[in-house]
Amino acid sequence: MSMQPTAAISEYVGFDTVSKQMERKFLKRGLNFNIILVGESGMGKTTLVNTIFAGHLVDSNGRKSAQEQPRKTTEIVPTTQVIEENGVRLKLSIVDTPGFGDQTNNEGCWIPVIKYIKDQHAAYLERELKPQRDRSINDTRIHACLYFLNPGSRSLRPIDIEVLRRLSEVVNVIPVLAKSDSISLEERAAIKKRLKEEFSQNRINFYPFSSDEDTEDDVIMNSNIKELLPFAVVGSENVFTENGTTIRGRRHSWGTVDVDNEEHCDFVHLRNFILRTHMYDLIEVTAQRHYETFRTQQLRQIKELRAAQAQAQSSAPQPIPSIMPIMQK
Ligand SMILES: Nc1nc2c(ncn2[C@@H]2O[C@H](COP(=O)(O)OP(=O)(O)OP(=O)(O)O)[C@@H](O)[C@H]2O)c(=O)[nH]1
Ligand SMILES: [Mg+2]
């Protein structure tokens, strides 16, 4: 009996499908993405976030329609909702904070915000250290912090410097120049330039950070982003028709600002940056840089505390235990 000639054996073994396999798992699990809004009162924080996620959100004050004006935010309120686009599930949390920087004494006004961010890290660490860990931990760590700068100040105020420094140590900060329709294009360019100089003079290091893993494309993309900072934004939930086209914008006596028009403001750039180009990186950098720093500090402190306790116990006379450590039931 003669053997059939074998067809050429393919060298393809198929591990390249791992990306599809990962995608399926990933889609099934969904994704947590958490944003915090920080800045002076009335700077349009609530409005901007409603503009970014237009139509997907019911805001923290329980407003259902965009026609109602946003109310003053008075406490740190996380709102979570699951939104879905083409089969991708996003569990989105927006943490709105009351405006600050408008009181005569702003000392310590950032404390609740920093505490909120660190509390989420602590909660994650606690769950991660549990002997029986949950298979997936509900991630409440903040992945991006939108910091609203008042266009009327024209430069960084001492309070901005203080808060930005502290925030950028614990979270990915994205600075925005709020209500950009209130200043002319020339003023906007001048203020942006000035703020950029002040960021660097005060060594405020914003996301995106450079990394060894960056490809040439990443380097170019990130330097374009840095060039745009702070994003000059306009927020609006009002949709109207003008000359036959539907516009989301703000009407002024001198004309209409279309938030989705790149010539009018950087809103589209900001939205694309957060959602379309950098969302996954924001999540990764939070875990690998900010959370890791927190985790290392905490574990070191626990170790030092234990060493100090052990030392105190060995030098002090041992007390006679009054009860047996394990009680019989
Ligand atoms: N001109 C202009 N007005 C805006 C813009 N964004 C919001 N506003 C208006 O500014 C007012 C305050 O907006 P909010 O979104 O409530 O501001 P906030 O920062 O959330 O304020 P607090 O919750 O008090 O901290 C509202 O009347 C908005 O319609 C903008 O980009 N340009
Ligand atoms: Mg608000």
Side-chain angles (χ1 to χ4, degrees), residues 121 124 139 141-143 172 281-295:
H121 285 174
Y124 195 90
D139 191 359
R141 295 171 298 181
I142 299 292
H143 303 117
N172 296 322
D281 190 62
L282 283 160
I283 295 173
E284 254 196 3
V285 171
T286 300
Q288 286 166 15
R289 182 184 177 112
H290 301 298
Y291 174 67
E292 203 54 33
T293 308
F294 176 86
R295 188 178 185 278

Side-chain angles (χ1 to χ4, degrees), residues 124-228:
Y124 195 90
L125 180 60
E126 200 174 296
R127 274 168 288 168
E128 199 186 49
L129 292 178
K130 268 203 327 207
Q132 285 203 313
R133 284 193 291 186
D134 305 333
R135 257 205 318 158
S136 79
I137 300 175
N138 179 32
D139 191 359
T140 59
R141 295 171 298 181
I142 299 292
H143 303 117
C145 166
L146 290 180
Y147 189 86
F148 288 70
L149 292 154
N150 186 337
S153 313
R154 274 143 218 270
S155 65
L156 287 184
R157 300 166 303 165
I159 180 87
D160 293 319
I161 298 173
E162 176 101 45
V163 179
L164 282 171
R165 272 215 190 113
R166 286 168 193 268
L167 279 173
S168 52
E169 281 168 15
V170 293
V171 69
N172 296 322
V173 180
I174 300 169
V176 302
L177 187 60
K179 296 186 166 182
S180 294
D181 53 330
S182 61
I183 45 175
S184 73
L185 290 177
E186 289 77 25
E187 284 174 310
R188 195 190 289 179
I191 295 173
K192 270 197 175 201
K193 184 164 174 283
R194 171 148 191 191
L195 287 170
K196 245 196 281 290
E197 284 162 8
E198 289 179 330
F199 293 150
S200 108
Q201 279 159 13
N202 290 288
R203 292 200 199 85
I204 300 165
N205 195 12
F206 290 119
Y207 175 86
F209 311 104
S210 52
S211 133
D212 303 340
E213 290 176 4
D214 285 348
T215 61
E216 220 169 282
D217 287 347
D218 292 332
V219 173
I220 295 169
M221 183 156 68
N222 289 348
S223 91
N224 288 341
I225 295 290
K226 288 265 158 125
E227 200 46 47
L228 269 178

Side-chain angles (χ1 to χ4, degrees), residues 39-48 69-73 96-99 178-182 233-235 250 252:
E40 212 173 303
S41 184
M43 278 301 111
K45 299 185 289 297
T46 307
T47 307
L48 186 75
Q69 279 292 304
R71 285 176 232 136
K72 193 174 166 62
T73 314
D96 209 346
T97 68
K179 296 186 166 182
S180 294
D181 53 330
S182 61
V233 294
V234 177
R250 308 190 78 88
H252 289 280

